[in-house]
Structures are given as structure tokens and as C-alpha cells.
Amino acid sequence: MTDLLQKLPAPPRPPNSAEPATVARHVQSARTIMEILFGPPAIRAFSVRYPDGSLESAGAPTPLFTLALKRAGSLSRMFWPPSERNVGEAYLRDDYDIEGNLEAAAGLADLLIDRFSSPQILLQLALVMRTLPRNDHTADDQTVTPEFQSSGLEVAAPTSLDGGHTTSGSAHSKARDAEVIRYHYDVGNDFYALWLDARMVYSCAYFPEGTEDLDAAQEAKLEHLCRKLRLKPGEHLLDIGCGWGGLIIYAAQRYGVFATGVTLSEAQASLARERIRAAGLEDRVKVEVRDYRDLGLGEGEARYDKIVSVGMFEHVGRANLQAYVQQVYRLLRPGGLFLNHGIVVVEAAVPPGAVEQLARLVFRQKTFMHQYVFPDGELVYTHEVLAHAERLGFETRDIESLREHYAMTLRHWVKRLEDHHAEAVSSVGETGYRVWRFYMGGCAWAFSTGRIGLSQMLFSKPGGRSSLPLSRADLYRPSPSAPEKR
């Protein structure tokens, strides 16, 4: 990912030099397309700025955002052929911008899926799209970022864009998992520090009151996890996918545990170790660059009292889910607790009809995410995790949805990223900034509308005392003071 994102974009393109009559025809075609897809301006909640500078105001008194079209052919590359990836790649190319609330813009997806399910609308669009240029990017187009200019491809064809990540080897093999994790997480610690909290916790925060800032909400999440695990001084905690070490450091400081974290990212491990040393916890906390599948009982590792996995099992894959749960079961002592915190699919209450299923297939949802953000990422249903866990012998003790909390977390991240636009561009380039803004804004909408969810699932392993109380009251008592080291 670093190779793709490290270059800076060139200066803005000079004004459109096409003949006035041609510009007027293209703008009129663009207006027609917008009306076909989104209705007349009077019913829209957003404004549109066309390439000639004209503004089509929203019907709402306060527009949620402005869609700024940069070129005559922007809409043809965004929406034809219909695909989520084309919309995303057009944004990366600066064919358009979203000025304002990106989450609200992502909410147009449902309307687009509905429109693209209609053969009549598809025919209308095809006829109008033919009047727009597909190739109005030129060789010296100053808005195309250097990585695209140097690709040797026709930049007007989004489907051939030479970007994102090309994986090698078998999906979810150890080598390929390490490769895709490095692609996502080794972008640069400085980049993540721009928009994460002080502890750099890259997972859903917890907002007990809803008014917390990001730092307070992430600390509340760490406390919530530790309380659910009922951590006690002297226990051994394993964190699978420990990131930059926020949870294991917190658990050692506040609960007096011995903690081990594993990650596949060298960049994360390096900073986590620095933070462990700075906290004086080297005798209690360690981080290893290691695949969780390589943790074995025959290599000197003790059985863990508690195991936690936060925002990691999305990378496991449905085919490997049973092996993942089985490995955790093997490493956990009898009576121990396992807390799995991750993003899940939320099953629709009403199954989609045949036309809608076809439209969703045509629209190719999630392909942008797989290409540019999380190669090999795969979400599963909560009930699939429960089934595998209980089949292996785990007892389900607690399930909590934090879906709304993740939407709030993502809004904080997007706002902080936007506030540090210049620094982000210096770190990962304009294209990289746009990848992250597009993906996080879209995810905020998906969580807020229930397309995806966040489940915390607590399991106990039979064979010993789980030490769980009779109620959940202990989760909500005032925070305890930090224990003395043992």
C-alpha cells in the first residue's frame, strides 16, 4: 500500500478549454443523468457543481453536501457501467469530490441500486452516457495523480486502473495473510497517528454517554473489554491482533496481568515495543510478530487464562473460522474466557427479491474495499461464530452489539482525517487520503443504517470455574484504581 500512496498529486488542472457549445451540451447531459438517478433538484438533499462552475442547489434549505463534478466525462466514469468500484475509483482520480458529509453521500447507494435494477432506467442512462466523453483525461491532465500517469494505462477507463493491491498465493495462507496485513497496516505509524486516539486503538470505541471525545471513548472501550474478561492480577492474557499495543498495556497497568500480543505487522510491533518500554512494562508485556496459528503448547507457551481478539477475525475468512476458534480453544485453560470483538454481517429482515439481487450483483458491492483497503477481508454472521464456538465446546456467556458505537467512532476518524488533510497528503499522497476518506465515510453509513454490525461475544471454556458473576452489574460500576504489580 505504501508504494501506491506515497506520491503527492500534481497541481490543479487549468480551466476546461473545450468549445462553449460543447461544454454546454456536456453539462446538459450531466444534468439529465443526475435527474434520472436522483430526481429533480427540488427533492434532493445535496447540491451539484458542474464542470462549467454552475451550481444546481439542493431543494433542502441546508444541503448535506455538494457533489463537485470536475470534468465533462465524470459521471460516465462514475456510473457506467454501474459498480461500486467505479464510483470509488472515479473519486480516487479526482473526477469528482464530496464537499461536506461523505457519510450522507454514501447513503445514496440504496437509491442507486434501486435505479440500476430498472431496465428502463438503464436504457435511458445508456443513451445519455453516450453523449459524454469517456476520454477527457489527457496525457498532460494535471489532476491525474503521478501513480496513475506512470501506470501506462488509459486513465479514462476506471476498470483498468492500476491501483490497489494484487495478492499472491492461496487466500488466507500464512504468507498471504502476512502480505495483506502489511499492505493495510504498514502504511506508516505517523499516518494512523493523525486520526486515531492517543493510544492508537484502531477498532470500535465505546461511548457510554454518547458525549465522550475519541480518547475517552477508546479508554472506555479498553475498560469495557477488561471488565468483560474479569481480569485479575497475575493472570496471563493473550491479545490476537494486538495492533499498537493499547489493550495489553492498559490491561497490565490497570489490572496487573501478564500480557502477550501478536501481530503480523512489523510497524505495529515496533511502536508497541517502544510504548511498552516507556511504560516500564517489559517484564509483564511482550509483543511478537507472529501468526496466531503458530502459537503452540509445545513451544513453552503457557495456557492463557484469558484470550481476546479485537478487530482481527474479519481477516480470518469463513473457510478458516472453525480452525481459528479451535486454536483459541486449545490455547485457553479450562474455565478461561475468550472475548471476540469484530465486524459482522447483519442479515436483512426481508430477503431481497430477484431483481434487487441482480442489481446488487451488477453494482459489485465491496469490490473497492477488497481492492484498496482490506484484501481478503470477509465478514461472517454472528450466528456462524456462535455455531463454531459451541460445536467445539465453548459456552456462550454474553453477546453485545456496539453497531452504533462504531458509526460514532468512524465519524470521529473521518473528521480528524479531514482536519489533517495536508499532513495526510504528505504521508500517503492525495490518492491515499481519498482511499481512507472514501472507505471510512462509507463504513460510517453502513454501520449507522445496519448494513453491518459489531458484535462482542464472550465465551467460557468448560472444565473449571469461569469466575463469572451472576449479573452484568460489575461492568458498569465506577472504575477501579490500578492494582499494585505482583
Side-chain angles (χ1 to χ4, degrees):
M1 193 172 192
T2 305
D3 293 340
L4 170 68
L5 306 181
Q6 64 186 357
K7 299 178 181 179
L8 291 171
R13 182 189 185 193
N16 197 322
S17 58
E19 293 294 328
T22 302
V23 172
R25 285 197 301 273
H26 289 160
V27 169
Q28 183 54 50
S29 294
R31 290 176 184 271
T32 300
I33 291 169
M34 291 301 297
E35 187 152 342
I36 292 172
L37 290 176
F38 305 108
I43 68 169
R44 294 182 212 151
F46 63 96
S47 300
V48 183
R49 184 180 303 111
Y50 292 94
D52 65 349
S54 61
L55 181 69
E56 197 169 63
S57 297
T62 305
L64 295 176
F65 61 90
T66 296
L67 172 63
L69 301 174
K70 303 293 187 73
R71 302 179 184 84
S74 292
L75 289 177
S76 67
R77 288 183 291 274
M78 287 172 67
F79 297 130
W80 201 259
S83 86
E84 178 260 1
R85 181 167 166 179
N86 280 354
V87 175
E89 289 183 342
Y91 178 65
L92 299 191
R93 296 173 185 276
D94 196 31
D95 268 320
Y96 70 96
D97 202 358
I98 300 295
E99 300 171 359
N101 191 332
L102 191 65
E103 180 183 346
L108 297 175
D110 281 344
L111 179 59
L112 288 172
I113 290 171
D114 179 67
R115 293 289 193 269
F116 292 138
S117 70
S118 166
Q120 293 88 347
I121 287 179
L122 286 175
L123 178 60
Q124 285 181 280
L125 284 173
L127 294 174
V128 184
M129 290 290 185
R130 293 181 60 188
T131 68
L132 293 180
R134 290 285 293 176
N135 233 357
D136 58 337
H137 286 292
T138 62
D140 60 349
D141 191 339
Q142 295 298 297
T143 59
V144 181
T145 51
E147 53 265 42
F148 296 149
Q149 288 182 344
S150 64
S151 68
L153 300 171
E154 290 188 9
V155 294
T159 55
S160 65
L161 187 149
D162 186 20
H165 183 67
T166 302
T167 52
S168 58
S170 301
H172 299 298
S173 65
K174 292 177 184 179
R176 178 153 154 177
D177 278 354
E179 173 190 329
V180 299
I181 291 297
R182 287 193 297 268
Y183 169 77
H184 185 83
Y185 293 99
D186 288 1
V187 175
N189 293 336
D190 291 343
F191 171 68
Y192 283 100
L194 291 174
W195 47 274
L196 292 178
D197 63 299
R199 288 187 172 89
M200 293 179 67
V201 180
Y202 184 31
S203 55
C204 174
Y206 182 56
F207 298 84
E209 303 296 331
T211 57
E212 294 84 358
D213 63 22
L214 186 60
D215 286 317
Q218 288 293 12
E219 180 170 332
K221 189 271 294 295
L222 299 181
E223 179 66 22
H224 200 51
L225 291 170
C226 291
R227 290 187 181 201
K228 282 192 174 183
L229 287 164
R230 274 72 181 193
L231 294 180
K232 296 179 177 62
E235 288 187 325
H236 289 265
L237 170 69
L238 172 65
D239 184 358
I240 300 176
C242 66
W244 291 275
L247 175 56
I248 53 178
I249 292 172
Y250 183 89
Q253 289 175 327
R254 295 298 298 270
Y255 286 84
V257 302
F258 294 92
T260 299
V262 293
T263 175
L264 293 176
S265 168
E266 289 280 1
Q268 287 185 332
S270 177
L271 182 55
R273 289 168 184 150
E274 288 180 22
R275 293 184 167 195
I276 290 166
R277 283 194 296 272
L281 293 171
E282 290 175 281
D283 61 331
R284 306 179 68 81
V285 182
K286 66 177 180 178
V287 172
E288 300 179 18
V289 178
R290 199 172 188 186
D291 193 297
Y292 74 95
R293 289 166 286 194
D294 291 333
L295 292 170
L297 298 177
E299 302 173 9
E301 293 91 343
R303 289 178 180 265
Y304 295 95
D305 299 291
K306 309 289 171 63
I307 298 179
V308 64
S309 175
V310 182
M312 176 271 174
F313 95 113
E314 298 90 337
H315 299 285
V316 169
R318 179 174 277 107
N320 287 343
L321 189 57
Q322 180 171 337
Y324 163 74
V325 177
Q326 190 170 29
Q327 173 70 334
V328 172
Y329 191 89
R330 191 167 70 90
L331 293 169
L332 190 63
R333 69 160 178 83
L337 297 176
F338 168 45
L339 179 56
N340 193 82
H341 165 121
I343 303 171
V344 294
V345 179
V346 178
E347 196 161 9
V350 180
V355 173
E356 184 180 352
Q357 288 179 328
L358 176 62
R360 289 181 185 275
L361 179 64
V362 171
F363 204 58
R364 292 167 54 200
Q365 291 181 327
K366 297 186 183 299
T367 55
F368 179 91
M369 184 80 74
H370 289 149
Q371 182 68 17
Y372 292 95
V373 185
F374 286 115
D376 292 345
E378 184 178 9
L379 302 185
V380 300
Y381 294 101
T382 299
H383 66 74
E384 293 180 85
V385 185
L386 300 180
H388 282 293
E390 294 183 349
R391 189 178 300 121
L392 287 167
F394 274 119
E395 180 183 2
T396 304
R397 302 306 302 263
D398 192 281
I399 304 174
E400 182 177 13
S401 170
L402 298 180
R403 177 174 64 80
E404 293 87 354
H405 295 258
Y406 217 152
M408 295 173 69
T409 304
L410 283 154
R411 289 173 194 137
H412 278 280
W413 288 347
V414 171
K415 176 65 165 56
R416 290 161 73 104
L417 178 65
E418 291 172 343
D419 289 345
H420 293 90
H421 181 193
E423 299 99 312
V425 169
S426 295
S427 179
V428 299
E430 178 66 27
T431 304
Y433 167 81
R434 285 171 175 254
V435 167
W436 288 84
R437 183 175 182 244
F438 186 85
Y439 126 69
M440 292 197 295
C443 285
W445 168 79
F447 278 107
S448 66
T449 55
R451 269 62 179 181
I452 52 179
L454 190 288
S455 289
Q456 283 190 348
M457 294 164 270
L458 183 68
F459 304 99
S460 64
K461 181 175 178 177
R465 295 177 61 86
S466 68
S467 70
L468 287 170
L470 294 176
S471 78
R472 306 170 92 237
D474 61 313
L475 299 181
Y476 306 107
R477 289 175 182 152
S479 297
S481 58
E484 295 294 326
K485 291 184 181 180
R486 288 188 176 182

